[in-house]
Amino acid sequence: MGKLNSFCLILTCMCFLQAIVGQGHEAPALYAFGDSLLDSGNNNYLPTWAKANYYPYGSSSFPFPTGRFSNGKNVADFVAEFLGLPLPPPAMSRESEGTVTGLNYASGSCGILPATGLLLGKCLNLDDQIYKFQCLVEGELTHHFGSKRNLLNYLSKSIVIFNIGSNDIGSYPLFLQSRYSTPQQFAQILLDALSKALKILYGLGVRKVVVFEIGPLGCTPGVARTIPHLGPCSEITNQLISIYNTQLDAMLKDLTSTLHGSNFVIARYFSLGLDIINNPSKYGLTDTRNPCCTALFGTSSCIPMVPGCKDAAERFFWDGVHQTEAVYKIESDQCIHNSSFCSPLSIEELVRL
């Protein structure tokens, strides 16, 4: 009887461990593309003014500033933790060498168009990010996996996250409106470029992609205080955002239906972001209007070495543009578990395919 009990206990432990490993590693890697909403430190290695590698950035979750434009982790970090993977390091860092559990290519101030963000210096635009990933696949990953079959199996199970386009759309009424006559024309140019990038990833073997909508940019303290007569949550970019997000949804559905075996998921962030801002108590927040850190002119980056607020876990905005770790956690949890937010499949469902 004792031997039987011991055998059952061992079998139970083995099944439990197998369940944990299976749940954590159904996706072997996480790759992130985008702008400062996902950047984990790529801009630290680039000649740009758009940096977050100084205190108080990162002060809630890291022993030192990492280059994340927040007080702590971002969406890519929380998704990686759910998958049981290490936080994907910035592709520009030495940490990226030999890493097969994923990388982060996102770059603050950059966007879909090559010209976006250049006023602040060098950043990795969408073309740069896709090119670097392509080089990784055709070089280091091909060598690592040995056979094309193993490589394609790895890529097809990996999760890819995009959050890009906010800087392009934010620049439209300020710099780009004279070049593109209508919001519809501008949105189509952005979507054509994004669609091209997604097709390149598909051609390399990627099959599971989550793309975030553009959030309510007019609600950021940076916009509200730079153009105060428009008021909070202004309509300055909402028309363009609405056009873009609607067409993004249609584009992703079309790609899923035409590219065999693909799953392109949209993260419906605009309505969630607006709901959090307008109903903060529903999400455990108290302030959705003011930056937590002392931001430069109250609109943009944190002033170096000045401590942030003590209630960051109850704030929406960390600086004049970016969200707190608390809000990124809300977004990631919704995308991981809620198929009406990340649609038509949550990340939890996506990794099981």
Side-chain angles (χ1 to χ4, degrees):
M1 187 68 177
K3 289 183 178 179
L4 180 60
N5 286 340
S6 297
F7 174 77
C8 290
L9 178 61
I10 292 171
L11 184 62
T12 301
C13 290
M14 288 177 65
C15 291
F16 178 70
L17 289 172
Q18 185 178 18
I20 293 175
V21 173
Q23 182 182 24
H25 293 281
E26 288 173 341
L30 173 69
Y31 289 94
F33 299 83
D35 51 33
S36 56
L37 297 176
L38 289 181
D39 191 351
S40 62
N42 282 304
N43 278 22
N44 296 351
Y45 306 91
L46 298 170
T48 175
W49 290 102
K51 293 183 186 291
N53 59 346
Y54 58 87
Y55 181 83
Y57 285 102
S59 54
S60 295
S61 289
F62 299 99
F64 51 83
T66 62
R68 288 168 172 81
F69 290 77
S70 180
N71 61 309
K73 299 170 186 174
N74 60 34
V75 169
D77 299 321
F78 286 117
V79 172
E81 288 182 340
F82 167 75
L83 297 174
L85 299 170
L87 306 188
M92 296 292 290
S93 71
R94 287 187 177 181
E95 300 172 67
S96 67
E97 297 176 6
T99 300
V100 295
T101 54
L103 292 174
N104 190 319
Y105 293 88
S107 179
S109 81
C110 246
I112 295 173
L113 300 180
T116 299
L118 291 183
L119 287 176
L120 296 175
K122 171 63 180 173
C123 56
L124 302 178
N125 60 52
L126 180 60
D127 287 344
D128 294 331
Q129 295 179 35
I130 297 300
Y131 175 73
K132 286 184 177 297
F133 179 75
Q134 185 172 0
C135 290
L136 176 77
V137 171
E138 296 175 348
E140 188 175 325
L141 292 182
T142 296
H143 176 74
H144 175 85
F145 286 99
S147 72
K148 186 173 183 180
R149 179 180 179 180
N150 290 341
L151 174 61
L152 291 179
N153 182 60
Y154 162 85
L155 290 171
S156 68
K157 292 182 178 180
S158 296
I159 302 295
V160 172
I161 296 181
F162 275 80
N163 197 334
I164 197 166
S166 295
N167 292 320
D168 303 281
I169 288 178
S171 299
Y172 178 73
L174 300 176
F175 310 112
L176 300 174
Q177 198 165 4
S178 60
R179 296 189 198 176
Y180 308 99
S181 57
T182 65
Q184 289 85 353
Q185 180 191 25
F186 185 63
Q188 192 59 55
I189 288 170
L190 297 181
L191 289 162
D192 287 346
L194 180 57
S195 176
K196 179 183 175 182
L198 295 177
K199 289 176 181 176
I200 291 174
L201 294 188
Y202 177 84
L204 292 170
V206 170
R207 295 294 181 268
K208 300 177 180 181
V209 182
V210 178
V211 183
F212 275 71
E213 287 182 336
I214 305 300
L217 296 181
C219 296
T220 65
V223 170
R225 297 182 184 188
T226 303
I227 318 175
H229 65 279
L230 294 172
C233 295
S234 70
E235 297 296 320
I236 184 172
T237 54
N238 281 359
Q239 180 189 7
L240 178 53
I241 292 172
S242 177
I243 293 169
Y244 179 91
N245 287 342
T246 300
Q247 294 182 5
L248 174 66
D249 190 13
M251 181 193 80
L252 296 177
K253 288 177 180 175
D254 181 66
L255 290 176
T256 299
S257 65
T258 57
L259 300 179
H260 177 71
S262 68
N263 288 277
F264 290 94
V265 171
I266 187 168
R268 304 185 187 282
Y269 178 59
F270 183 88
S271 57
L272 175 64
L274 208 57
D275 190 47
I276 297 173
I277 289 171
N278 291 329
N279 303 286
S281 61
K282 178 179 172 183
Y283 299 90
L285 304 180
T286 57
D287 188 328
T288 60
R289 302 293 179 183
N290 302 294
C292 180
C293 75
T294 304
L296 187 64
F297 305 118
T299 64
S300 186
S301 303
C302 298
I303 295 176
M305 307 310 295
V306 178
C309 64
K310 295 182 179 180
D311 59 343
E314 300 176 6
R315 298 289 196 100
F316 188 97
F317 291 105
W318 169 245
D319 59 19
V321 177
H322 306 98
Q323 297 132 29
T324 59
E325 180 183 78
V327 175
Y328 287 133
K329 182 68 164 61
I330 294 170
E331 293 175 42
S332 58
D333 283 349
Q334 286 292 310
C335 195
I336 289 168
H337 302 294
N338 185 352
S339 60
S340 63
F341 176 70
C342 273
S343 174
L345 297 166
S346 66
I347 291 177
E348 191 173 33
E349 295 168 327
L350 195 60
V351 296
R352 293 173 183 164
L353 296 179

